[in-house]
Amino acid sequence: MNIIDKIEIAENGIDALKILEAADHPQPKLILLDINMPKMNGWEFLEAYTKLDTDKKSKNMVVILTTSMNPEDKKKAREFSCVSEFNIKPLTPEMFKNILEKYSLSDNYE
């Protein structure tokens, strides 16, 4: 889609928190979060994320991606004010474009 300069990938919640906590790292505008991750799952990540200093999360928006639309998971996601979306995988280009449009994250996509 040629709209993003840099993508950071974390294999688990622990690595994602390390990226966010790095002093010299620019904070992302969007976090795509899987619920089922090794070492620290998405829920554990969200619990830790809410405790980060404001400057480490102020530009962040979290979109949860999951393999099922479990009503309990959707309910739990609503408990976190930082979660903007709860979507079923896979993330398609159309879904990603819609997220970017909805939250005005880019006006330069194809």
Side-chain angles (χ1 to χ4, degrees), residues 39-67:
K39 298 183 183 179
M40 175 186 274
N41 68 36
W43 303 123
E44 294 165 330
F45 169 83
L46 287 169
E47 289 289 338
Y49 175 81
T50 60
K51 296 173 184 167
L52 289 176
D53 290 338
T54 302
D55 66 324
K56 298 298 182 186
K57 59 184 177 177
S58 62
K59 296 178 185 175
N60 298 318
M61 180 181 85
V62 179
V63 173
I64 292 178
L65 299 169
T66 185
T67 54

Side-chain angles (χ1 to χ4, degrees), residues 32-92:
L32 299 173
L33 180 65
D34 192 351
I35 297 299
N36 298 312
M37 297 183 294
K39 298 183 183 179
M40 175 186 274
N41 68 36
W43 303 123
E44 294 165 330
F45 169 83
L46 287 169
E47 289 289 338
Y49 175 81
T50 60
K51 296 173 184 167
L52 289 176
D53 290 338
T54 302
D55 66 324
K56 298 298 182 186
K57 59 184 177 177
S58 62
K59 296 178 185 175
N60 298 318
M61 180 181 85
V62 179
V63 173
I64 292 178
L65 299 169
T66 185
T67 54
S68 72
M69 292 301 261
N70 181 331
E72 290 301 313
D73 286 346
K74 288 180 83 171
K75 181 180 175 183
K76 189 171 185 174
R78 286 192 293 269
E79 295 174 13
F80 296 93
S81 62
C82 59
V83 175
S84 302
E85 298 257 340
F86 188 94
N87 294 314
I88 192 114
K89 288 195 248 181
L91 177 66
T92 64

